[in-house]
Amino acid sequence: MYIKKFAVACLSLCLCAQPVFSSYAGTIVAGSGASLASPSNVSPATGSSSASSFTADQAWHKINGQYVDASGNPIDGVLMRGISVSKWQGNIDWAKVASDDVSFAFVRMVSYGYEGQITMDETFDQNMRQASAQGIKTAPYIYLQTKTVEEAKKAGQFAVDTARNYNVNFPIAVDIESPYILTLSVQELTDVINAFCQVIADNGYTPIVYSDFNKLSTEMDTSQIPYDIWLARYGSTNNQFANRTIWQPTETASVNGISGNVCVELAFKNYIGQVGTGNSSGSSVVGPAGSQNYSVSATPTVGASSQTGGPGVVQAGSGSLTSPTPENVSQSAPATDTSSTTSSTVVTAGN
């Protein structure tokens, strides 16, 4: 029934094929929180790679001091390179990752809200701790599936209560791609996003909103969202979007220390020392309504994707897991996050 309910949502055109319609301009308005880095913040390249010498494995790396795209063209304004990961990347060698010019990592924490259920990513704890131990800036991302403002506030509180157990020094991301909440109106979804982010900000952390170009343009009103944008848009160097501070250009990159594909992230804003790291102290209470131990029923698997990236690249699976946080969350299935390779959503929320 779930598949039938959202079949239409999964038939949208491929993200990289979406044109920029002028009718969207009214909703793509800069918010109040971010300042995009300009090319002046980056040392100019001392030269450019030639088409004959450029190879695919050099994409999204630095060449002559400047990050380049999949064609070897310099990308203005990129300050640092990162990745987004989840259980789908398996056991990661973070020492090797750190040596491959990875400065920050978004780590999947949880799928929250599908019919009131909570599904922790079983690799969240080890990824956060091991990445941080290698000097990589870390922050969680939350695959949000809440349909009301009140539910979104609870999800935000869950996120900050869990985050207090870790070294969070990059923005906490809310991943907006679930077909379950895309049935909401534009205003309803915008209100849900703002409610979640407001709780993050009220607790002394810095929020950021992750989604793909199509959803940012049509499913929500970004002119009402005063937070930074983490934009997923593949196969295009046209990565501009109002308030965009991080761009996810691909989910098929290769990074040392990770087997298989991974999403690469390019930051245009220097968050180092700039983000809130929480203003609350004391013991952390993870879970809705402050419960220390609670059970979560299995979430039905909706489908699987062959992708292996970060937010937007979701794969279904099975099995049981225990929450890696101090509280135990019993469940019989992983997150219901799903995406289609033909969907405009390039979100890493279920990988």
Side-chain angles (χ1 to χ4, degrees):
M1 180 171 66
Y2 182 91
I3 296 177
K4 290 182 179 179
K5 187 174 181 181
F6 299 110
V8 176
C10 296
L11 294 176
S12 55
L13 294 175
C14 179
L15 174 65
C16 63
Q18 294 296 318
V20 182
F21 296 108
S22 59
S23 59
Y24 296 157
T27 61
I28 306 177
V29 179
S32 62
S35 58
L36 299 183
S38 66
S40 62
N41 292 327
V42 181
S43 299
T46 57
S48 58
S49 61
S50 64
S52 60
S53 62
F54 179 78
T55 58
D57 59 356
Q58 293 176 296
W60 322 118
H61 286 79
K62 276 185 180 178
I63 296 180
N64 297 322
Q66 195 164 5
Y67 288 98
V68 299
D69 63 19
S71 299
N73 301 313
I75 309 169
D76 290 336
V78 180
L79 302 179
M80 64 188 74
R81 190 173 88 122
I83 57 175
S84 54
V85 298
S86 71
K87 66 180 182 179
W88 299 108
Q89 275 66 56
N91 190 30
I92 298 173
D93 187 332
W94 285 101
K96 290 183 178 179
V97 170
S99 69
D100 195 11
D101 190 27
V102 171
S103 299
F104 64 93
F106 286 106
V107 179
R108 183 177 180 271
M109 174 194 284
V110 66
S111 170
Y112 192 106
Y114 178 77
E115 296 185 348
Q117 298 171 20
I118 302 168
T119 307
M120 292 296 298
D121 187 305
E122 61 263 46
T123 63
F124 173 71
D125 181 79
Q126 71 181 47
N127 282 337
M128 287 290 289
R129 298 188 189 282
Q130 293 177 12
S132 182
Q134 296 299 324
I136 296 173
K137 304 302 179 183
T138 56
Y141 72 84
I142 293 83
Y143 187 78
L144 194 66
Q145 301 197 84
T146 61
K147 286 189 171 182
T148 70
V149 165
E150 288 307 312
E151 290 173 346
K153 289 179 179 178
K154 290 180 180 179
Q157 194 61 50
F158 179 96
V160 297
D161 286 343
T162 307
R164 290 191 187 109
N165 295 296
Y166 302 93
N167 186 20
V168 175
N169 39 34
F170 230 66
I172 293 179
V174 56
D175 179 0
I176 305 298
E177 64 170 318
S178 170
Y180 183 68
I181 59 174
L182 293 182
T183 56
L184 296 173
S185 70
V186 168
Q187 190 60 57
E188 288 171 336
L189 183 56
T190 300
D191 291 343
V192 162
I193 294 168
N194 279 337
F196 178 94
C197 290
Q198 186 63 57
V199 172
I200 301 300
D202 286 348
N203 281 270
Y205 293 96
T206 300
I208 192 169
V209 179
Y210 171 89
S211 197
D212 64 76
F213 180 85
N214 184 57
K215 290 179 179 59
L216 288 166
S217 302
T218 63
E219 300 289 348
M220 65 195 81
D221 183 358
T222 56
S223 70
Q224 298 182 48
I225 299 176
Y227 304 105
D228 290 357
I229 297 296
W230 171 13
L231 169 67
R233 193 176 194 190
Y234 302 164
S236 172
T237 56
N238 180 17
N239 61 82
Q240 294 294 330
F241 197 93
N243 236 28
R244 185 273 289 130
T245 59
I246 297 176
W247 176 34
Q248 181 183 98
T250 180
E251 94 284 33
T252 58
S254 296
V255 172
N256 292 342
I258 298 177
S259 299
N261 294 331
V262 64
C263 286
V264 159
E265 318 297 344
L266 301 176
F268 296 78
K269 180 177 179 179
N270 183 10
Y271 285 106
I272 309 302
Q274 308 289 324
V275 298
T277 55
N279 58 15
S280 228
S281 60
S283 59
S284 173
V285 178
V286 181
S291 59
Q292 286 295 310
N293 294 282
Y294 56 96
S295 296
V296 181
S297 59
T299 302
T301 296
V302 178
S305 166
S306 61
Q307 298 171 312
T308 55
V313 183
V314 181
Q315 299 187 13
S318 61
S320 61
L321 62 91
T322 301
S323 167
T325 61
E327 292 69 30
N328 293 322
V329 183
S330 61
Q331 53 197 20
S332 58
T336 58
D337 320 346
T338 59
S339 68
S340 168
T341 55
T342 61
S343 171
S344 60
T345 303
V346 190
V347 196
T348 16
N351 22 320

